[in-house]
Amino acid sequence: MTTREWLIGLPLAALLTACDQSQSADKPPAKPPPASTDAVAKTTKTNMPIQKITKTDAEWRKLLTPEQHRIARQKGTERAFTGQYWNNHEDGVYRCVACDLELFSSKTKFESGTGWPSFYEPLAKDNVGVEEDNTLFMRRTEVHCARCDSHLGHVFEDGPKPTGLRYCINSAVLKFEKAK
């Protein structure tokens, strides 16, 4: 099977993601910042230690819906424009669905046109981790929850000022807490 034949067999959302997120050949992809090797990270918001959460796959399956598990624990992706929060415009905080860690503020959410919730920075820098992702014939930077290692999405260097970043996050791994 050729690469072209394989790509033709991909779901439309994966093809759109691949096309939308591919980087130009003349600009090499950015290297992700070094990941913390400490078992405990500190949030920049509260400077309190984040205790790592480790569970078995069976425990995660009991806690999460099948869709949440597929995305958070198996590094899946929801289809564009289908997630609960891609078009949410309310004020509040987006938390990790698996461990409740605060991840993103609605103040940094913006319309990226990709069909996924997009943010230009996390609520607290150390609440999300990053690592290189070379799947689907692309070089991307994966974003995960610093507490439970749930896959959240990817970060790209085509976002708005002030950071120039676009954290493209799956709605299924978020829960929204409306501002009071």
Side-chain angles (χ1 to χ4, degrees):
M1 177 181 287
T2 67
T3 302
R4 184 172 184 268
E5 290 168 331
W6 182 83
L7 285 171
I8 290 171
L10 282 177
L12 179 58
L15 288 172
L16 291 173
T17 302
C19 293
D20 179 53
Q21 298 169 353
S22 64
Q23 298 184 3
S24 68
D26 56 341
K27 181 182 174 192
K31 292 183 181 175
S36 173
T37 57
D38 299 334
V40 176
K42 293 188 179 193
T43 70
T44 55
K45 183 178 178 188
T46 63
N47 206 29
M48 298 295 295
I50 297 175
Q51 298 295 324
K52 282 287 197 179
I53 294 176
T54 307
K55 295 181 184 288
T56 65
D57 188 58
E59 290 172 318
W60 286 122
R61 286 184 188 277
K62 285 181 185 176
L63 179 68
L64 304 170
T65 68
E67 177 75 350
Q68 291 167 338
H69 184 272
R70 182 183 70 78
I71 294 170
R73 308 313 303 172
Q74 298 174 333
K75 299 184 179 189
T77 301
E78 64 197 7
R79 289 189 349 254
F81 303 102
T82 63
Q84 181 178 3
Y85 301 121
W86 77 270
N87 199 27
N88 182 29
H89 299 287
E90 296 185 82
D91 289 335
V93 174
Y94 293 86
R95 296 175 169 274
C96 177
V97 74
C99 73
D100 205 39
L101 184 64
E102 292 182 338
L103 300 172
F104 299 95
S105 167
S106 62
K107 291 178 172 72
T108 64
K109 189 173 187 282
F110 69 98
E111 293 299 323
S112 66
T114 62
W116 289 276
S118 296
F119 306 86
Y120 61 80
E121 71 182 345
L123 190 63
K125 181 181 174 187
D126 293 333
N127 286 12
V128 298
V130 295
E131 63 185 65
E132 201 171 298
D133 175 4
N134 294 315
T135 59
L136 294 176
F137 306 104
M138 293 181 284
R139 294 180 69 190
R140 302 178 291 176
T141 302
E142 177 193 352
V143 180
H144 61 268
C145 174
R147 182 185 286 161
C148 68
D149 289 327
S150 288
H151 170 76
L152 302 173
H154 293 87
V155 61
F156 303 94
E157 293 183 331
D158 60 359
K161 292 180 180 183
T163 66
L165 299 175
R166 172 174 52 99
Y167 288 83
C168 191
I169 308 299
N170 292 286
S171 289
V173 296
L174 299 174
K175 60 182 171 182
F176 181 71
E177 182 179 289
K178 198 174 189 179
K180 295 177 175 132

